[in-house]
Amino acid sequence: TNEERLNPANGLALSPVYDAAFDLGLIAFRPDGQIMLSPKIEADAAALGVTGNESIASLTDEHFAFLDWHRKNIFSRVNG
């Protein structure tokens, strides 16, 4: 919805590489903030500077809801 689109919790400050990978469903973040890598990006992750050890701190309950939606609807669809 437009309200969700404008919600500050529905956004992450990611570098361009991570932002593109997130939008394409090649990465996601677990509820604890730890990155999840798609098998489709694992072979190229090192070349992109993605280690698989990245995490996001200070997530709120609102972030969790949006990240859960992304895991279920974007990441799972691309990798399912």
Side-chain angles (χ1 to χ4, degrees), residues 12-43:
L12 300 170
L14 300 173
S15 74
V17 168
Y18 289 89
D19 185 54
F22 184 82
D23 288 346
L24 293 170
L26 299 174
I27 65 169
F29 294 92
R30 294 185 179 100
D32 65 359
Q34 183 68 35
I35 196 169
M36 300 169 62
L37 301 180
S38 164
K40 296 177 180 182
I41 197 176
E42 286 178 348

Side-chain angles (χ1 to χ4, degrees), residues 52-72:
N53 295 318
E54 296 85 349
S55 65
I56 299 175
S58 304
L59 294 172
T60 67
D61 288 341
E62 280 189 291
H63 285 110
F64 296 140
F66 288 116
L67 290 172
D68 183 57
W69 185 91
H70 178 269
R71 278 191 310 277
K72 290 177 180 174

